[in-house]
Amino acid sequence: MPASDCPPPRPEPARPAAPERLDPARLPFTAAAVDRDGIERELRDVRAVAAQEPGTLVLVLAGGLAPVAGEDLLLVPAEGLPPGPADPRHPEVYLGRTTAGGVPGARVLLRPVPGLAQETGATAPGQDLLAAVARHAAADGAPPLRWAGLRELGPVLPPEDAALLVAAQSVGLWHRDHPRCPQCGGPTDVVRSGWARRCPHDESLHFPRTDPAIIVAVSDGDPDPARERLLLGRSALWRGNRFSTFAGFVEPGESLEQAVVREVAEETGLVVGDVHYLGSQPWPFPRSLMLGCRAVVRSGAAAPDGQEILELRWFTRAQLLAAARDGSVTLPGKVSIAHALIEHWLGQALPESTW
């Protein structure tokens, strides 16, 4: 057939526009808390230098609890502060420098202890350090000292304080859980200012572990915003009427998009496409990085797997707002990126949640 007689090529079907990214300012735990001083901490052990340097601040963690005065994280001057316990599972870590106004400021050390006296016993290691924190809080005239965990503190702390606590808890939990070499089983030495461990037997070097996980808002893709629906699930691990988006770990050799398709199929029986990355959030329970996505259903019938997910529900925007307001559904609180993903799809703020 002559070229002039060939039918014109069919136009590509229009693809839906990619959704806008999540606003970083609305993502929990993502503020720039400190300059991590990555180069200096590898060239020398900054911990010893920082402990003797005027102005250095110390964040003391007792198990999973942090000291709080009012609604601020309590950082204590290092001068005169007792050292932490000589415990290979709870070493001191150099967290970096404060960056108020973009100018490098005070160095910050993490000094962990196994727990509070009522949890570990009055004679447990580190109780002198905890007592010093209490004395500093009382002498400083600050609001009463209390100890609380990140899940409670995340929504109320200033963003920089929350981000600093996330970094401290994440690296602290890694040290607690990985004091030995995974190759030979022998104890390892803390190096690089607390950001790595080296095996003295085989010289292998080990770094803090972060587990990537996807979390995805799944919609039916209806072009009419009034009719478009969002699918939420109730996990077997949750009490009551809690519903949220879908999540799971990225497996070895998987891309982010492949993990989204697999996880949604496993938990709901649906095949999704048009996967778009929207933003991320560190989630130190104990060491995940949540990769937030949006996806659209392509085929299948929604059915919970009966193991991880016990119930599935579709919501239009009007139905979701009504359910959240009357309490028939409890949605994730602001501490989780799931909250941001749902609001992003909804196009407006959610009512306050008790979750």
Side-chain angles (χ1 to χ4, degrees):
M1 177 183 298
S4 58
D5 295 333
C6 291
R10 293 182 178 180
E12 288 284 334
R15 293 178 59 84
E20 292 184 3
R21 294 283 184 89
L22 294 170
D23 179 1
R26 297 181 63 83
L27 288 174
F29 306 152
T30 59
V34 292
D35 174 357
R36 297 197 179 201
D37 229 354
I39 296 177
E40 185 180 9
R41 77 187 189 197
E42 292 198 13
L43 295 178
R44 62 173 178 163
D45 191 340
V46 186
R47 295 176 297 171
V49 175
Q52 303 301 320
E53 189 172 283
T56 293
L57 301 172
V58 176
L59 172 59
V60 177
L61 292 187
L65 304 179
V68 183
E71 294 188 350
D72 294 315
L73 198 61
L74 182 64
L75 301 180
V76 181
E79 186 176 359
L81 200 64
D87 182 347
R89 298 177 71 240
H90 298 91
E92 188 167 88
V93 178
Y94 174 56
L95 295 176
R97 288 182 179 271
T98 59
T99 55
V103 178
R107 298 188 190 271
V108 182
L109 293 169
L110 165 64
R111 198 168 285 178
V113 302
L116 298 176
Q118 57 264 37
E119 298 172 335
T120 60
T123 59
Q127 296 309 307
D128 57 339
L129 179 57
L130 298 180
V133 173
R135 287 194 300 271
H136 171 81
D140 194 42
L145 172 69
R146 65 189 181 97
W147 296 83
L150 182 57
R151 289 182 186 272
E152 176 188 344
L153 297 175
V156 297
L157 285 178
E160 292 77 13
D161 282 3
L164 180 64
L165 181 53
V166 165
Q169 178 164 308
S170 299
V171 70
L173 287 175
W174 174 72
H175 280 296
R176 184 199 69 182
D177 295 343
H178 298 84
R180 293 183 172 272
C181 175
Q183 298 183 176
C184 72
T188 53
D189 299 325
V190 178
V191 296
R192 300 197 180 186
S193 305
W195 286 92
R197 301 185 76 111
R198 186 188 302 278
C199 178
H201 303 291
D202 58 31
E203 293 299 316
S204 58
L205 194 60
H206 308 282
F207 296 92
R209 169 179 157 186
T210 296
D211 300 326
I214 60 91
I215 182 165
V216 56
V218 175
S219 78
D220 64 6
D222 193 301
D224 181 352
R227 296 176 54 187
E228 186 185 20
R229 298 177 301 163
L230 182 71
L231 184 65
L232 299 177
R234 181 171 64 85
S235 169
L237 301 176
W238 300 335
R239 303 185 308 274
N241 60 348
R242 296 181 175 187
F243 281 77
S244 186
T245 52
F246 305 95
F249 290 107
V250 179
E251 294 186 346
E254 241 182 356
S255 69
L256 181 153
E257 293 81 4
Q258 289 170 332
V260 167
V261 173
R262 176 184 54 77
E263 280 289 343
V264 173
E266 289 174 358
E267 296 184 356
T268 72
L270 295 170
V271 177
V272 296
D274 289 332
V275 178
H276 293 283
Y277 168 77
L278 300 181
S280 65
Q281 174 201 20
W283 189 247
F285 304 106
R287 58 186 65 85
S288 297
L289 176 64
M290 306 304 297
L291 306 169
C293 300
R294 174 91 68 87
V296 176
V297 173
R298 287 287 168 253
S299 63
D305 64 7
Q307 296 180 348
E308 291 187 54
I309 303 297
L310 299 183
E311 185 180 355
L312 297 171
R313 287 183 61 179
W314 287 103
F315 298 90
T316 65
R317 288 173 170 83
Q319 290 169 342
L320 185 61
L321 275 175
R325 286 169 177 161
D326 67 23
S328 58
V329 163
T330 302
L331 297 175
K334 293 180 180 179
V335 75
S336 167
I337 191 175
H339 181 95
L341 287 170
I342 295 172
E343 283 193 338
H344 184 265
W345 174 84
L346 186 63
Q348 66 182 89
L350 285 167
E352 290 295 324
S353 173
T354 57
W355 187 347

